[in-house]
Amino acid sequence: MLDDRKLAVLRAIVEDYVSTNEPVGSKALAERHNLKVSPATVRNDMAALEEDGYITQPHTSAGRVPTDKGYRLFVDRLSQIKPLSGAERRAIETFLAGAVDLDDVVTRTVRLLAQLTRQVAVVQYPTLTRSTVRHVELVPLSDRRVMLVLITNTGRVEQRVVELPEVIEDLRIAHLRAVLNACLDGCGLATVPELLADLPERLPAEDRPVAATILSVLLETLVERHDEKIVFAGAANLAGADFATGLRDVLEALEEQVVLMRLLGETSSDIPTALTVRIGSENPYLHGTSIVATGYGSGDNQLARLGVLGPTRMDYPVTMGAVRAVARYVSQILAAS
């Protein structure tokens, strides 16, 4: 472990390099930061940091830049994540509170994160398998057609038009709707197939063909939406970024949903709301980038993850504060909905 003085020097190097994108020299450190030591001592500390692999010399200049190991120690020893200002918090709350449904929440969240961090924001949709049934609606469209609407506790709404095998009056549709909701209300979507297995047998014989058709469409809906979905925003923020792996690799990763899913998956934690930071070589699928992510959901139930992706030369205190704050507001909205 580094002593406090060398840690202060490392912290100053990271802050200056993130701010200027220029290698940092000992003279500049001594002038810009109140390190309370001579430039010669700073040079000695920088030599020790370089020997230990925390900083490196990119070319023949006297300046040094942080390595992945240096960023890692900087993040691990952060004394404080930069909080958002009161104006920023109010803007987040107002912006997200205007969402009308889950799709709108996700769209607003990813745009907001990209604006706050000037990085690429990534938001994972809550998966149906982690959700519970809030309500099932059957809306008659004609004598032999109904709209099946599945509403989950996360605000997800799935709609399907069902062609019925026979004409059925609205009263029988209303009865089937009541039976479905009594059976499924509050149940996890993963348990729905088991719960519905013997439902037709509990209905009058004349309603069983229609019920079987509707249940078949309902189960198909769950299967179709089993795969998780990710959205991102802020790709334009990459224009001025410096990536060790090259911008092309990063853009290709953004186009591949599977890669983004894996990147977010690697940030999972036993504590749903824990903030996870993966730096450079710690990302097995995209070296040269850093990811700051956390879970969001309703109460202690993590439904999905969100975060930002950018170069390792990232303002970690600001980014971590923004990711944590946005996730908290999204969770509050989902809980309230």
Side-chain angles (χ1 to χ4, degrees):
M1 295 299 293
L2 299 181
D3 59 40
D4 289 343
R5 193 183 70 205
K6 290 187 180 64
L7 187 61
V9 171
L10 175 63
R11 184 180 297 114
I13 292 172
V14 171
E15 291 173 352
D16 279 10
Y17 182 60
V18 168
S19 174
T20 67
N21 197 19
E22 295 290 339
V24 183
S26 57
K27 182 179 179 182
L29 283 183
E31 291 174 350
R32 294 174 186 165
H33 300 271
N34 184 25
L35 298 174
K36 299 180 180 179
V37 292
S38 68
T41 300
V42 173
R43 283 195 297 273
N44 290 336
D45 288 342
M46 290 178 69
L49 289 169
E50 185 173 11
E51 184 176 353
D52 290 339
Y54 293 106
I55 59 175
T56 188
Q57 187 176 23
H59 42 74
T60 55
S61 72
R64 303 293 189 274
V65 301
T67 62
D68 290 353
K69 182 180 178 181
Y71 284 123
R72 177 78 269 165
L73 183 61
F74 172 81
V75 169
D76 289 344
R77 297 294 295 272
L78 269 179
S79 58
Q80 183 178 7
I81 296 174
K82 186 176 180 180
L84 299 181
S85 67
E88 287 174 323
R89 290 196 300 271
R90 288 190 295 274
I92 292 174
E93 189 171 9
T94 301
F95 186 64
L96 293 181
V100 296
D101 55 24
L102 181 64
D103 287 333
D104 199 12
V105 169
V106 172
T107 300
R108 288 170 180 251
T109 298
V110 76
R111 287 170 49 200
L112 184 63
L113 260 182
Q115 291 170 4
L116 286 173
T117 63
R118 310 306 303 170
Q119 307 290 351
V120 177
V122 182
V123 178
Q124 176 187 17
Y125 264 83
T127 61
L128 283 176
T129 53
R130 295 177 187 167
S131 306
T132 60
V133 177
R134 173 174 290 174
H135 185 70
V136 178
E137 187 60 60
L138 296 175
V139 182
L141 301 177
S142 67
D143 289 343
R144 297 186 57 172
R145 179 182 292 179
V146 298
M147 174 75 77
L148 168 67
V149 184
L150 173 67
I151 305 172
T152 73
N153 67 317
T154 60
R156 193 87 173 246
V157 178
E158 300 293 332
Q159 302 181 64
R160 294 290 185 277
V161 174
V162 184
E163 300 289 343
L164 303 178
E166 61 186 71
V167 175
I168 183 169
E169 61 269 19
D170 292 354
L171 188 61
R172 290 166 63 192
I173 289 291
H175 175 66
L176 181 56
R177 179 197 305 123
V179 172
L180 278 173
N181 281 293
C183 180
L184 300 179
D185 183 35
C187 296
L189 296 193
T191 67
V192 168
E194 179 182 352
L195 294 171
L196 295 180
D198 63 345
L199 183 61
E201 284 69 31
R202 298 182 333 206
L203 296 170
E206 63 270 20
D207 289 342
R208 290 174 187 173
V210 169
T213 301
I214 292 174
L215 297 185
S216 176
V217 173
L218 176 57
L219 295 177
E220 286 175 4
T221 301
L222 299 181
V223 172
E224 288 172 8
R225 295 296 182 140
H226 179 71
D227 290 337
E228 296 173 335
K229 180 182 175 183
I230 278 186
V231 294
F232 68 89
N237 292 330
L238 301 177
D242 47 335
F243 288 98
T245 55
L247 182 58
R248 177 182 293 274
D249 292 337
V250 177
L251 292 175
E252 288 178 350
L254 293 177
E255 293 177 355
E256 295 291 337
Q257 290 275 317
V258 174
V259 175
L260 286 181
M261 287 297 303
R262 288 175 176 172
L263 288 170
L264 274 187
E266 289 292 329
T267 68
S268 295
S269 169
D270 293 336
I271 304 174
T273 57
L275 202 61
T276 305
V277 182
R278 301 297 294 269
I279 299 170
S281 56
E282 297 171 359
N283 291 316
Y285 308 107
L286 199 60
H287 293 181
T289 64
S290 287
I291 299 173
V292 179
T294 188
Y296 72 90
S298 179
D300 294 330
N301 182 26
Q302 176 181 310
L303 299 173
R305 298 185 68 75
L306 60 80
V308 299
L309 178 150
T312 53
R313 190 181 69 82
M314 178 187 292
D315 190 335
Y316 291 97
V318 168
T319 302
M320 293 164 70
V323 169
R324 184 174 63 181
V326 170
R328 185 181 299 122
Y329 280 112
V330 173
S331 297
Q332 289 173 359
I333 289 172
L334 292 180
S337 66

